[in-house]
Amino acid sequence: MKNVTFRQLRVFTEVARHLSFARAAEALHLTPPAVTMQVKELESQVGMALFERSGRGVSLSTAGEYYLVYAKRLLATLKDADDAMARFQRLETGLLTIGMVSTAKYFVPRLLARFREEHPGVDVRLQVSQNREQLLELLHANECDLAVMGRPPKELATRAEPFAAHPLVFVAPPGHPLLRVGHPPLEALAPYQFIVREPGSGTRNAMEWFFHEQRFEPRISMEMSSNETIKQAVMAGMGLSFLSLHTIGLEVKTGLLHLIDVEGTPVMRSWNVVHLLSKLLSPSAEAFRYFILEEGEAHLVAHDTPLLSTNAA
């Protein structure tokens, strides 16, 4: 395999990520035939099929699953080398990969847009994970430079820096009886069904901690892995929920959802920017880390204050 190129490895890992030649081509700004050719050349070098093809479907072969581990290691090492050289040159250019839990996707893109105005030479890739566990896998595999998440991971050796408060609140559809109660105790929610995030998510963990502290047993009717689906279910009158304030700004402003001013809420957590201690950050990653530490809190306070003030009124 002496003649394997890093270009072939990049194409291979992108096809493995999407399990689609067409979507990999779109992500790499190549044509599908060019992606197919690169994969065939790599398979010729390896001497085995790395993908199993069935009609339009694509899946990794057993050999491909093993090879993917080493391909990712090689690409991560090459990026670390590029980052190290960039640090010598102090260049704020190149690719910056930001991983985040799904709840953070409601505000991180806006911060990145402002960051790009100040650092136009940086190309940004967002990796949105459905929950905390998936994001930890990205960090562990060195597939993102920085991660935006709630609870700092204890499972990995990381540097976690809080940059903003993260309020979590109870929500109800318009006209719900609890909205007529000015400041209900948590026990007032007992008769109603709850639609909640899946186990392992940061939102679910915060909810369970709050319920445990208050010795409250909710009536959970549904578990969902999508904030958007939960919001739609609450708006349809299927139950109450406990969500990040940062996911419901538009719905609250338009009256599609209402905050329930439950005693002891909002439940406050923190947003953190995280990276592996072993990772040498590139100048672009250092620049974004500094930017979010400096600008993140003011951005989120500007979002949160009107929502919480309206609810209090």
Side-chain angles (χ1 to χ4, degrees):
M1 295 190 291
K2 293 186 298 182
N3 297 321
V4 170
T5 67
F6 281 104
R7 179 181 177 84
Q8 291 168 350
L9 294 178
R10 288 193 183 97
V11 171
F12 165 65
T13 56
E14 201 66 31
V15 175
R17 183 193 307 276
H18 297 286
L19 293 179
S20 166
F21 283 79
R23 290 174 61 191
E26 183 179 349
L28 293 166
H29 305 291
L30 298 173
T31 64
V35 169
T36 300
M37 182 184 68
Q38 292 290 331
V39 171
K40 285 185 176 179
E41 289 180 357
L42 178 61
E43 289 178 325
S44 177
Q45 292 289 333
V46 173
M48 288 179 287
L50 300 176
F51 293 100
E52 295 176 352
R53 301 161 177 85
S54 176
R56 294 188 177 183
V58 178
S59 60
L60 281 166
S61 66
T62 301
E65 291 178 353
Y66 277 92
Y67 197 77
L68 181 62
V69 174
Y70 297 101
K72 286 181 176 180
R73 288 180 186 174
L74 288 168
L75 291 174
T77 301
L78 178 64
K79 187 177 187 305
D80 284 346
D82 287 341
D83 291 346
M85 294 304 99
R87 288 175 71 92
F88 281 115
Q89 297 175 304
R90 300 305 302 169
L91 295 176
E92 292 183 10
T93 59
L95 177 64
L96 170 63
T97 303
I98 306 295
M100 70 187 78
V101 291
S102 60
T103 301
K105 70 182 180 182
Y106 293 89
F107 67 88
V108 170
R110 290 186 177 86
L111 284 170
L112 278 171
R114 290 169 52 189
F115 173 76
R116 286 287 305 277
E117 291 175 0
E118 299 179 12
H119 306 272
V122 177
D123 292 323
V124 178
R125 169 184 284 179
L126 296 180
Q127 296 270 57
V128 181
S129 301
Q130 284 300 314
N131 53 43
R132 184 175 184 275
E133 280 66 29
Q134 289 183 11
L135 184 53
L136 291 182
E137 290 177 7
L138 286 180
L139 274 171
H140 182 66
N142 200 23
E143 292 187 27
C144 60
D145 299 300
L146 296 166
V148 177
M149 62 193 307
R151 285 181 299 134
K154 297 180 180 179
E155 303 90 329
L156 300 174
T158 60
R159 180 183 185 183
E161 299 169 283
F163 64 86
H166 181 194
L168 296 111
V169 295
F170 291 97
V171 295
H176 195 279
L178 282 174
L179 299 177
R180 297 193 292 269
V181 182
H183 196 49
L186 184 60
E187 292 76 16
L189 279 60
Y192 303 101
Q193 294 184 333
F194 273 83
I195 307 161
V196 299
R197 285 293 304 267
E198 79 285 6
S201 72
T203 302
R204 178 65 175 266
N205 288 334
M207 182 192 75
E208 290 180 343
W209 174 87
F210 181 66
F211 287 159
H212 176 74
E213 288 288 306
Q214 302 294 323
R215 298 182 180 179
F216 177 76
E217 290 290 337
R219 294 176 58 195
I220 295 176
S221 60
M222 285 182 281
E223 295 178 347
M224 298 180 179
S225 60
S226 164
N227 290 317
E228 289 300 314
T229 308
I230 291 176
K231 288 190 291 184
Q232 292 296 324
V234 174
M235 286 187 280
M238 299 175 69
L240 308 178
S241 192
F242 180 83
L243 293 171
S244 164
L245 186 66
H246 298 148
T247 68
I248 58 174
L250 180 61
E251 291 80 6
V252 172
K253 289 176 183 177
T254 56
L256 295 173
L257 287 175
H258 291 264
L259 307 188
I260 310 172
D261 190 18
V262 176
E263 291 179 2
T265 66
V267 175
M268 301 302 293
R269 292 290 182 267
S270 296
W271 284 113
N272 292 271
V273 59
V274 179
H275 67 87
L276 291 174
L277 282 174
S278 60
K279 187 172 185 63
L280 186 66
L281 294 181
S282 67
S284 59
E286 284 281 17
F288 182 72
R289 171 185 159 270
Y290 179 79
F291 177 85
I292 200 169
L293 289 172
E294 290 292 310
E295 304 290 336
E297 182 176 19
H299 175 80
L300 288 174
V301 166
H303 170 274
D304 299 346
T305 302
L307 301 179
L308 295 173
S309 299
T310 300
N311 192 56

